Every structure is written in structure tokens, then in C-alpha cells.
């Protein structure tokens, strides 16, 4: 605080001299001024991002030690792990930085070792993660229209956890800010390397089918502009790029993706019958991506726009991160209210026509919806978190993702928690820091396995019913 003439302390906002304030002000900012600020941020971003890049100018994933592998990745004792490597020289042997020192392995080597233990190890242990055959990937949307709740961080760390667990993961960045793309070192030149052509192509195919019907009725076709024509030439699978994780791939985002929020309503006005909310899910399925991966994570924009609607419509599981504060609890409640209003409106509009035509109505459904507390401080937020839990019940995951020193230090190094080398920390600090993310993933994995198991049971019941009907029909033919 400043002091007045008597020496008494005064608030900092007292006695500000207008002439001094004017001298500090600087010139007015023009539109070009925004460009200068943006260029400065871009230069700083490149500098910060480069600190996490390897010699080739791209992000690289660290190595994993025998201690870390046997503690977190493959459930075997270190001594047994070493015996297996000695007995099987055809398996990855890792590398040692010193004579007789700890061995270090790439994640790709870890996955190969996991596959070996899965086929030759103890049947009482889970080496390969649960994944029913014949069922598609689970699509997981991470959404909230309030920014700063840890949405991109949650999506990234769940993706990394799933990859360490052995799943094949695709991350799709629907946010034009591209935070998830940056985390995974993605490089996206323009909107044609994002989901934009996937959505545009979906509309173009609908318009093409509509035009054929118009031609059959003797009506003039609607124009198919250059953007839609170009989108039809894009292979959705070609939008996928590799990351520095061997089993995480990415469909990235960049600023131009925001153009979709303006273009989609124009297309919808042109073709009222276009089911815009199906564009992303149909695109992922049509490109075979739901068969190529086990889990697809969608990071949505912090707004309930058309890209978010597409992400939520495509999702099997919805995760809503929020902090343990009144404002975030209030905002999240409004978010769910808007979700209800939006999807109820879509259902109502579609089902009016469906009832008139005698068709089955539209009903959106999600396997599971959970809110997740992030950046949690138990010493200060315990009471409010308990209150939130009492109101939300099972919708709010009982696990709370703590904020630890490891999180802040990893962020300074432009890495996710699982990308941080534990040698940069006290080993106990590292173990305690990653524990909160391991528990977050464990809570998610229970949802994942539970929904897959329910789908598996439903598919078995359908097969049994179909076989029963076929058997009855065969018996009827035999009697006849």
C-alpha cells in the first residue's frame, strides 16, 4: 500500500496522478494491433513448445524404466521380468545408460512385452485390457461450456492413460483453439486437416441424394459449391496423423475450424432435412475409425455450438470436468439445462415428421454421463465438494482429481503427467502426483468396461433371440 503525507497506509488505487497515468498509457490499439499481439503470442508459443521437442523438431516420448514398467504397466515382479528377458533374447531388451544400470524401454517395446505376457503369462493377471471382439470403439466426449475447467487436460491425460493401458486411441480436437492438438504435437495447416471436410462431406452427400430426388421429380438441383465438391474428395482416414505416442493418433484442430460454426447453419438452411448432428459419428464410422481404434476421445469447444453438438451426438460416454466452486457448479448446471433444451428440441422437431410418416422416432442416448472434479484442493474445497456430491449423486464421480506439484512442474515442461520423467522429481513425489490421474483413469475405465460388458450382453441376447427364431422357423418347415 502507498502512504499519505502522515505516513498512514492508503489503498493502491488512491491518489493516482492523471498525468502519470496518461504517460504510461501508450497509443490506442488498432485492428492491426491485434495481429501484432497474435504474432507475439505465436512466437512465444513456438518457443515454449520447442522445449518439449526432440532433435527432429517434433515431440518425442520418453523411455520407461524396468521399475516403472513393473509397477504401473505390466503386473509382474521385477525379478521375474528380468528372468523372462534373459530367457527370451528375441524380446525387447531395452537399453542401459551405465554398465549394469537400469534398463529403459520405448512404449512400443513395452506394448510388445505386454503382448508376450498376455499370451504366455499367468492367466490370473490382466495383461491386456478388456476389449470385446466385434463391438465398435467407445466414443468419449469431454465437454463443458465453461473454460478453464481442465477439459483439454482431462481428455489428454485419459488418452495417455488408456494408451499406457494398451488401448488403441484416437483423439479428435473439435476446439479451434487447438489445445489438445498442441499437447500431442500435432501440426494442422488449415481447416482441411481438421474435421471440417468430414462434416462438409456429410452435407455434400446428403445434398447429392436430395438433388437426385429433385431431378427425379423434374425439379432443378440445388447448387453444390466448390467447398462441398472438394470435401467429397477428402478421405476421412487421411485426416488422421500420428503422434509421438505409438498408439495415440490425432485429428487436429486450428483456428480456421471455427468457420464451421458459421457454415453449418447455412447448410442447414439450404437442406432442412440434413441431420447435421450425425455428421461426425457417420464420418468416423464410414471411415472405419471405430473399428481401427478402441477408444475415441473428443475435446469439444467451451460453448454449445454445432461442433459441440456433433461431439455430444457421437459420444457414448460424456465426461464433464468442473472445479469445486460455486460458480463452476452453477455454470455446469446451466450447461446440463442447455443440453436438455438442445437435444429435446432436436428430438421434437424430428419426431413430428417421424410420427406423420409412421417411422420410428429419434431418441438420443448416452451409455454414461459423469461430472469430474478437477484441480481439487481437499483442504479448502472438501465441504463444497461434499455438498455437490449430495445434489448430483452418482452423476458426480466420487474420485476427485487433486492438483499436485507434479502437475505444475510437468506443465512448465510442456508435457502431460505421463510424459514427465520421474527422475526429474523425488520418486515419492512422482508416485503421489500421478496417483490422482491413475485414479481418474480407473474411475473412467470402470465406466468403459461396464458399458462394453452391457453391450456384449445385449448382443448375446439378440443373437440368442435370432437363433431361437431361426430354430423355430426350421422346426415349422420340418413339420410342414
Amino acid at each position: 500500500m502507498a502512504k499519505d503525507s502522515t505516513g498512514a497506509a492508503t489503498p493502491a488505487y488512491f491518489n493516482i496522478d492523471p498525468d502519470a497515468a496518461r504517460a504510461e498509457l501508450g497509443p490506442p490499439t488498432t485492428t492491426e494491433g491485434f495481429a501484432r499481439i497474435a504474432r507475439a503470442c505465436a512466437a512465444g508459443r513456438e518457443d515454449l513448445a520447442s522445449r518439449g521437442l526432440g532433435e527432429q523438431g517434433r515431440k518425442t516420448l520418453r523411455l520407461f524404466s524396468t521399475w516403472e514398467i513393473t509397477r504401473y504397466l505390466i503386473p509382474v515382479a521385477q525379478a521375474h521380468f528380468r528372468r523372462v528377458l534373459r530367457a527370451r533374447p528375441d524380446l525387447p531388451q531395452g537399453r542401459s545408460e551405465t554398465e549394469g544400470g537400469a534398463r529403459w524401454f520405448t512404449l512400443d517395446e513395452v506394448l510388445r512385452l505386454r503382448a508376450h505376457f498376455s499370451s504366455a503369462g499367468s492367466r490370473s493377471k490382466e495383461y491386456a485390457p478388456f476389449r470385446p471382439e466385434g463391438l465398435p470403439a467407445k466414443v468419449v466426449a469431454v465437454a463443458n461450456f465453461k473454460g478453464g475447467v481442465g477439459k483439454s487436460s482431462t481428455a489428454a491425460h485419459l488418452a495417455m492413460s488408456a494408451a499406457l493401458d494398451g488401448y488403441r486411441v484416437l483423439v479428435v480436437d473439435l476446439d479451434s483453439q487447438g489445445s489438445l492438438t498442441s499437447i500431442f504435437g500435432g501440426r494442422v495447416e488449415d481447416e482441411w486437416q481438421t474435421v471440417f471436410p468430414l462434416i462438409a462431406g456429410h452435407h455434400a452427400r446428403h445434398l447429392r441424394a436430395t438433388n437426385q430426388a429433385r431431378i427425379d421429380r423434374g425439379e432443378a438441383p440445388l447448387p453444390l459449391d466448390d467447398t462441398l465438391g472438394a470435401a467429397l474428395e477428402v478421405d476421412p482416414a487421411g485426416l488422421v496423423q500420428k503422434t509421438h505416442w505409438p498408439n495415440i493418433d490425432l485429428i487436429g484442430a486450428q483456428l480456421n475450424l471455427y468457420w464451421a460454426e458459421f457454415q453449418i447453419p447455412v447448410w442447414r438452411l439450404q437442406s432442412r432435412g440434413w441431420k447435421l448432428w450425425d455428421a461426425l459419428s457417420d464420418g468416423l464410422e464410414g471411415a472405419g475409425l471405430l473399428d481401427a481404434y478402441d477408444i475415441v476421445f473428443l475435446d469439444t469447444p467451451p460453448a454449445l455450438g454445432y461442433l459441440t453438438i456433433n461431439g455430444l451426438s457421437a459420444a457414448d460416454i460424456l465426461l464433464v470436468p468442473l472445479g469445486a466452486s460455486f460458480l463452476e457448479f452453477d455454470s455446469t448446471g446451466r450447461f446440463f439445462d442447455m443440453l436438455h433444451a438442445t437435444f429435446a428440441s432436436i428430438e421434437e422437431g424430428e419426431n413430428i415428421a417421424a410420427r406423420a410418416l409412421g417411422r420410428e422416432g429419434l431418441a438420443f442416448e448416452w451409455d454414461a454421463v459423469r461430472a469430474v472434479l478437477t484441480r481439487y484442493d481437499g483442504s479448502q474445497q472438501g465441504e463444497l465438494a461434499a455438498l455437490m456430491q449430495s445434489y448430483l449423486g452418482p452423476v458426480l464421480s466420487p474420485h476427485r482429481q487433486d492438483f499436485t506439484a507434479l502437475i505444475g512442474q510437468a506443465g512448465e515442461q510442456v508435457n502431460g503427467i505421463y510424459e514427465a520423467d520421474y527422475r526429474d522429481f523425488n520418486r515419492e513425489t512422482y508416485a503421489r502426483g500421478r496417483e490422482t490421474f491413475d485414479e481418474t483413469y480407473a474411475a473412467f475405465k470402470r465406466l468403459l468396461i461396464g458399458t462394453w460388458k452391457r453391450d456384449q450382453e445385449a448382443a448375446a441376447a439378440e443373437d440368442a433371440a435370432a437363433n431361437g427364431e431361426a430354430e423355430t422357423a426350421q422346426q415349422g418347415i420340418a413339420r410342414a
Side-chain angles (χ1 to χ4, degrees):
M1 284 189 174
K3 295 184 178 181
D4 61 18
S5 58
T6 67
T10 61
Y13 51 82
F14 278 13
N15 302 320
I16 294 176
D17 179 58
D19 291 329
R22 169 66 182 86
E24 296 169 0
L25 185 60
T29 298
T30 64
T31 303
E32 178 57 29
F34 292 145
R36 287 194 296 272
I37 297 170
R39 286 193 293 270
C41 289
R45 176 190 175 281
E46 289 298 319
D47 177 41
L48 290 171
S50 67
R51 302 181 190 188
L53 303 182
E55 295 180 358
Q56 304 302 315
R58 300 190 69 89
K59 292 193 76 171
T60 57
L61 186 60
R62 65 179 179 85
L63 302 178
F64 297 82
S65 72
T66 301
W67 169 81
E68 192 174 8
I69 292 169
T70 55
R71 173 162 179 167
Y72 294 110
L73 306 180
I74 302 177
V76 295
Q78 286 193 51
H80 178 62
F81 183 79
R82 293 191 180 98
R83 281 197 299 271
V84 170
L85 294 188
R86 285 196 297 269
R88 292 291 305 273
D90 56 309
L91 292 175
Q93 298 294 310
R95 56 204 55 76
S96 179
E97 297 177 348
T98 60
E99 185 69 28
R103 291 192 171 274
W104 295 80
F105 300 78
T106 66
L107 181 56
D108 190 58
E109 290 173 330
V110 173
L111 295 174
R112 289 166 57 193
L113 289 168
R114 185 200 298 272
H116 166 75
F117 281 100
S118 180
S119 63
S122 171
R123 297 300 176 188
S124 64
K125 293 184 178 180
E126 178 190 284
Y127 297 105
F130 179 80
R131 173 70 167 92
E133 292 185 10
L135 294 179
K138 284 295 179 182
V139 180
V140 183
V142 184
N144 198 330
F145 66 21
K146 182 172 179 58
V149 296
K151 185 171 53 61
S152 297
S153 175
T154 297
H157 283 106
L158 285 175
M160 293 176 188
S161 297
L164 290 174
D165 200 18
Y167 286 116
R168 300 165 299 166
V169 178
L170 174 66
V171 290
V172 181
D173 196 347
L174 300 177
D175 188 350
S176 59
Q177 296 178 81
S179 297
L180 194 67
T181 302
S182 295
I183 290 172
F184 286 104
R187 299 189 177 185
V188 182
E189 296 299 325
D190 55 34
E191 68 272 23
W192 290 95
Q193 295 178 331
T194 72
V195 298
F196 178 79
L198 189 152
I199 295 173
H202 189 270
H203 175 254
R205 284 185 289 275
H206 169 80
L207 188 59
R208 195 163 56 181
T210 299
N211 281 341
Q212 185 58 56
R214 291 175 67 92
I215 292 170
D216 293 343
R217 295 194 301 267
E219 300 173 6
L222 298 171
L224 192 74
D225 62 32
D226 291 343
T227 296
L228 297 177
L232 287 172
E233 302 299 319
V234 174
D235 176 11
L239 302 173
V240 177
Q241 55 181 289
K242 296 293 183 182
T243 73
H244 55 296
W245 287 71
N247 52 343
I248 300 180
D249 292 342
L250 166 74
I251 298 180
Q254 58 103 254
L255 192 59
N256 290 356
L257 176 58
Y258 194 70
W259 176 244
E261 297 290 357
F262 300 96
Q263 188 62 63
I264 289 174
V266 173
W267 291 335
R268 175 68 168 166
L269 285 174
Q270 184 183 34
S271 303
R272 300 296 298 180
W274 176 45
K275 294 177 173 52
L276 63 91
W277 49 87
D278 285 339
L280 180 61
S281 56
D282 288 352
L284 293 173
E285 183 178 5
L289 297 178
L290 299 185
D291 295 322
Y293 298 93
D294 301 312
I295 312 172
V296 179
F297 287 99
L298 310 176
D299 185 27
T300 64
L304 192 54
Y306 293 104
L307 290 168
T308 300
I309 289 173
N310 258 279
L312 296 176
S313 299
D316 301 299
I317 297 173
L318 170 59
L319 301 178
V320 182
L322 73 157
S325 74
F326 169 79
L327 291 178
E328 293 189 38
F329 184 45
D330 180 55
S331 175
T332 299
R334 297 175 193 275
F335 175 66
F336 280 111
D337 192 33
M338 286 189 66
L339 290 186
H340 169 257
T342 299
F343 287 101
S345 175
I346 294 173
E347 289 176 347
E348 182 180 5
E350 288 295 298
N351 292 340
I352 290 173
R355 285 192 294 268
L357 297 172
R359 296 175 180 170
E360 184 178 351
L362 172 67
F364 291 99
E365 185 175 82
W366 291 266
D367 289 338
V369 175
R370 294 290 185 275
V372 182
L373 286 181
T374 59
R375 301 170 292 111
Y376 178 69
D377 182 350
S379 65
Q380 300 185 37
Q381 299 174 323
E383 184 177 353
L384 181 54
L387 181 67
M388 294 166 65
Q389 191 80 59
S390 69
Y391 279 102
L392 289 175
V395 171
L396 179 61
S397 172
H399 169 67
R400 296 155 191 182
Q401 187 171 287
D402 299 330
F403 185 89
T404 68
L406 177 64
I407 298 171
Q409 292 180 52
E412 291 173 4
Q413 298 172 15
V414 201
N415 284 319
I417 299 304
Y418 296 110
E419 295 175 323
D421 191 327
Y422 69 81
R423 291 173 295 180
D424 294 334
F425 310 90
N426 173 283
R427 186 177 288 192
E428 184 178 336
T429 300
Y430 174 82
R432 187 170 60 251
R434 69 169 284 167
E435 182 179 0
T436 186
F437 285 89
D438 288 344
E439 290 178 353
T440 299
Y441 175 65
F444 163 73
K445 189 178 178 182
R446 282 191 288 271
L447 288 180
L448 178 72
I449 291 177
T451 58
W452 259 329
K453 186 63 177 177
R454 185 167 61 192
D455 291 348
Q456 192 179 43
E457 291 171 352
E462 288 180 7
D463 289 344
N467 291 335
E469 290 174 3
E471 187 175 327
T472 300
Q474 289 294 331
Q475 291 173 351
I477 293 172
R479 285 195 300 270

